[in-house]
Amino acid sequence: MPQPTSSSRAAGQRSYLQSIAGCLPAAIGQYGLSEIELGQWLGRAAPHLTRLADDDALGRVPLFQILDDLADIAAAQSALERLSAGARTIVFFGTGGSALGGQTLAQLAGWNIPGGADAAQRRRPRTRFYDNLDAETLAGGIAGLDLATTRFVVTSKSGNTPETLVQALVALKAVNDAGLGPRLPEMFLGLTELATADKKNGLRALCEAHHIPVLDHHTGIGGRFSALTNVGLLPALARGLDVAAIRRGAKSVVDALRARPLPMAYPPALGAALTVGLSKARGIKVQVMMPYADRLGRFSDWFVQLSAESLGKKGEGLSPVACLGPLDQHSQLQLFMDGPREHLMTVLRLDTAGRGNRIDRALAATAGLDECLGRGGVAALGQFARIGNLEGLRQVRHLGAGGTLAGGHRGRGRVHGLGIGLGLGGFGVHATALTAGWLDSHPRCLLYKSGGPGQDKSPWGIALAPARVVVQS
């Protein structure tokens, strides 16, 4: 019988806690997935879990294979060090998968969060991302830069993404117009595939024409799956993250797969079975990703892209929605709680005990917030809002390698299941698996797409897998 709450231990520590209790009949009655139904969907997942492990054993999964590679990390670090010399700002141009994965990693290190940078990060060049092509925004952004101390990283897997090429052309002209043309090779870095005889690459041609150095994009890993490659690692390095640790964290999830577990014992498979079952048997149409941490905000956006682009095929797929708590309690939660019973919510929580500001007792009493007396501000909000069933997780120190955290919902029962909705999509010949997590607030992200060239068939599956949450003893 699949357990509503499961955990894993490594080196004597609880490595993660997964709860699907909020998605089962005991919590939400007829809208939950029964034990028998969940077992059936787990059975259907089994051959695909085996296929994934078989593909890995045969070396058919490039993203798994790079987890032990250090050469590309050294090349990325060296390129970034050269680019950073004399720099105060590093601008990343790219869109879609060439941007969101890197932004997710960078935000874990405080990017785009007021007061999020630590002392070491404040000594580094500032990081900026331009991922949407808007004429006024780009013009204003370029005009506001001190070009002499600005560096540019331009990323496009194919090298032919129109929006990214336009960004690069505008920046190149601005630098030339500022009389800095001779310094183009030290101010720009390209990241793209090699050109071939039958496939031109506009970005590589542009870089070669101006003697701009280029890092090679892995040809076997698609843009939206590239967070573990140099595409995601460059922004992570720019924010001072330990990228080798990021890969080790991802590898811990893959190693669990290589042990050939039963689906019910492997969180990605359990989550996928749960979500597919709720979709097919209970009419779930919307997958909500709702972290309660600013540093995970961009993760929700990346999740939306991964889900929509991977699963929205041939009439299949759930509509992904990015949320952020507690902000979206005041904008979208009403719909989730009292609207159509078609939402599956995944809540990601960090324990905030002892963090943030303390609420003054006298001030809280005056304001009528007696429930929050003496509690840390963020922790008090979470308790006051009654979000999630986090029993047993109060002592979580930090998220570990490959780990995410969530609890079952104990609200009004209108939501099909709030908790670990670890997975969505169908069990087709090919599947996509996403694992993400953090060690000492450093993320590890891993995605998988099986099948060789010409074998891209639907339906697809995608799973969000927790792998390690370190808990104090």
Side-chain angles (χ1 to χ4, degrees), residues 100-113 116-118 121 235-236 239-241 246 291 293-300 302 348 350 399 403 436-445:
L100 286 172
Q103 290 175 20
T104 297
L105 300 183
Q107 193 169 63
L108 262 293
W111 167 74
N112 205 34
I113 297 175
D118 60 26
Q121 289 164 346
R239 297 296 303 182
L241 293 177
I246 291 174
D294 284 346
R295 291 174 186 258
L296 299 178
R298 198 60 100 213
F299 173 80
S300 288
W302 184 39
L348 310 183
L350 291 173
L399 291 175
W438 300 262
L439 178 59
D440 296 324
S441 298
H442 294 170
R444 297 93 177 82
C445 300

Side-chain angles (χ1 to χ4, degrees), residues 6 88 99-100 108 121 133 179 198 205 232 234 256 274 292 367 399 455 466:
S6 61
R88 293 182 181 176
L100 286 172
L108 262 293
Q121 289 164 346
L133 183 60
D198 58 348
L234 275 173
L274 173 76
Y292 273 71
L399 291 175
Q455 298 179 356

Side-chain angles (χ1 to χ4, degrees), residues 81-296:
E81 288 174 357
R82 290 194 302 270
L83 189 70
S84 300
R88 293 182 181 176
T89 303
I90 298 179
V91 173
F92 289 87
F93 287 142
T95 192
S98 295
L100 286 172
Q103 290 175 20
T104 297
L105 300 183
Q107 193 169 63
L108 262 293
W111 167 74
N112 205 34
I113 297 175
D118 60 26
Q121 289 164 346
R122 287 193 290 272
R123 291 192 293 269
R124 293 175 172 272
R126 297 182 62 184
T127 48
R128 293 187 180 181
F129 292 87
Y130 288 86
D131 58 356
N132 189 51
L133 183 60
D134 180 286
E136 291 187 5
T137 299
L138 183 59
I142 295 294
L145 293 171
D146 176 12
L147 291 175
T149 59
T150 299
R151 306 293 182 262
F152 301 90
V153 179
V154 187
T155 303
S156 168
K157 183 176 188 288
S158 68
N160 299 315
T161 308
E163 295 89 345
T164 304
L165 286 175
V166 168
Q167 291 173 327
L169 294 174
V170 169
L172 283 168
K173 185 176 187 303
V175 170
N176 275 318
D177 290 348
L180 299 170
R183 294 181 53 196
L184 288 177
E186 68 185 71
M187 296 178 65
F188 283 79
L189 174 66
L191 206 169
T192 187
E193 288 181 325
L194 291 168
T196 62
D198 58 348
K199 184 180 179 181
K200 295 182 180 180
N201 186 312
L203 177 56
R204 187 169 286 271
L206 189 66
C207 290
E208 290 176 351
H210 294 279
H211 307 289
I212 294 170
V214 179
L215 289 176
D216 294 336
H217 193 299
H218 198 298
T219 57
I221 299 174
R224 66 183 180 274
F225 305 124
S226 61
L228 280 181
T229 72
N230 48 17
V231 174
L233 299 187
L234 275 173
L237 285 166
R239 297 296 303 182
L241 293 177
D242 183 351
V243 296
I246 291 174
R247 282 191 173 171
R248 287 196 300 271
K251 188 175 183 297
S252 71
V253 180
V254 176
D255 287 343
L257 169 71
R258 289 168 176 166
R260 304 278 177 162
L262 293 173
M264 71 176 63
Y266 191 55
L270 176 58
L274 173 76
T275 310
V276 173
L278 287 170
S279 173
K280 300 298 184 182
R282 297 294 185 273
I284 286 293
K285 298 179 181 179
V286 180
Q287 171 81 352
V288 180
M289 180 61 65
M290 194 168 185
Y292 273 71
D294 284 346
R295 291 174 186 258
L296 299 178

